[in-house]
Amino acid sequence: MYGRKITANLREGTPNHLYLPGAHRGVWNEDALIASKEIILCESLIDALTFWSAGIRNVTASYGVNGFTADHRAAFAQHGTERVYIAYDRDEAGDSSAVQLSEELMQMGIECFRVQFPKSMDANEYALKVTPAMKSLGVLLNKAEWLGKGQRPELRSIEPMVERVIEEEPEPERQLKKK
């Protein structure tokens, strides 16, 4: 479970993001890892949902800056993730964690880019201020900073992933073809 502070007039010290105590398990939107080899990794669920709401579906979230779990690692490996756009908050914790995580991901053979939100902003704040969200988030993705060593790989233009409905053949026709 996740919660986000939405107003500044709460008691002092109230965190902006709150998760239930205990180990974090699972991968939010694992379908994105199945559908795309390029994944946008956000720091929080609200930021990932911001991309999702803007039509950019190849997104998942860690559970805070130190919340990239063994479940994430296993899912990235299982589904053959090739490139990650780290879209953590643009603050000291997000910047530091993005560098650290990119080193780990690159050791797994995954190319890493850092999405550069304006200082002290996250995906949700940015998308609310710079509209339309799909276009403004897309611009930042296409200008993401290469975190690897050597020559920067060519960026492919990020296009919104639109869900497709796969129509299945009716059951009787499938059975007839097998005979």
Side-chain angles (χ1 to χ4, degrees):
M1 222 156 116
Y2 165 78
R4 178 178 170 133
K5 180 174 157 179
I6 59 171
T7 182
N9 65 351
L10 298 177
R11 95 178 120 56
E12 192 170 323
T14 302
N16 287 333
H17 305 273
L18 187 63
Y19 296 92
L20 289 179
H24 299 297
R25 301 277 329 224
V27 176
W28 179 80
N29 194 22
E30 190 169 350
D31 287 345
L33 280 69
I34 296 167
S36 179
K37 301 298 181 197
E38 296 187 4
I39 298 298
I40 301 156
L41 178 65
C42 295
E43 180 177 326
S44 70
L45 294 169
I46 193 75
D47 291 334
L49 287 168
T50 299
F51 279 95
W52 175 271
S53 296
I56 303 171
R57 308 284 195 210
N58 54 324
V59 62
T60 192
S62 57
Y63 303 104
V65 292
N66 297 312
F68 191 78
T69 67
D71 290 342
H72 289 101
R73 288 175 191 88
F76 278 38
Q78 177 186 353
H79 301 299
T81 301
E82 296 173 358
R83 180 177 286 181
V84 172
Y85 294 85
I86 302 173
Y88 283 9
D89 297 4
R90 188 77 192 286
D91 56 18
E92 188 177 324
D95 289 340
S96 174
S97 184
V99 169
Q100 196 172 31
L101 179 59
S102 70
E103 291 170 0
E104 177 185 344
L105 292 173
M106 286 186 289
Q107 287 180 354
M108 293 173 60
I110 299 172
E111 296 175 349
C112 292
F113 290 82
R114 175 70 164 117
V115 178
Q116 297 290 324
F117 297 108
K119 288 280 186 195
S120 301
M121 290 186 90
D122 62 23
N124 187 260
E125 292 170 298
Y126 181 74
L128 289 171
K129 289 186 177 166
V130 185
T131 58
M134 183 189 315
K135 185 173 182 175
S136 59
L137 291 168
V139 166
L140 289 185
L141 289 168
N142 290 320
K143 292 179 11 182
E145 175 189 358
W146 166 237
L147 295 176
K149 306 219 180 327
Q151 186 172 345
R152 173 191 176 111
E154 184 178 323
L155 278 177
R156 296 176 282 274
S157 182
I158 301 290
E159 298 296 330
M161 285 182 55
V162 178
E163 292 180 315
R164 292 185 304 192
V165 176
I166 300 172
E167 294 184 29
E168 293 186 16
E169 293 181 26
E171 191 64 34
E173 288 181 28
R174 234 185 284 152
Q175 289 176 350
L176 289 174
K177 288 181 180 179
K178 290 180 182 176
K179 292 181 181 180

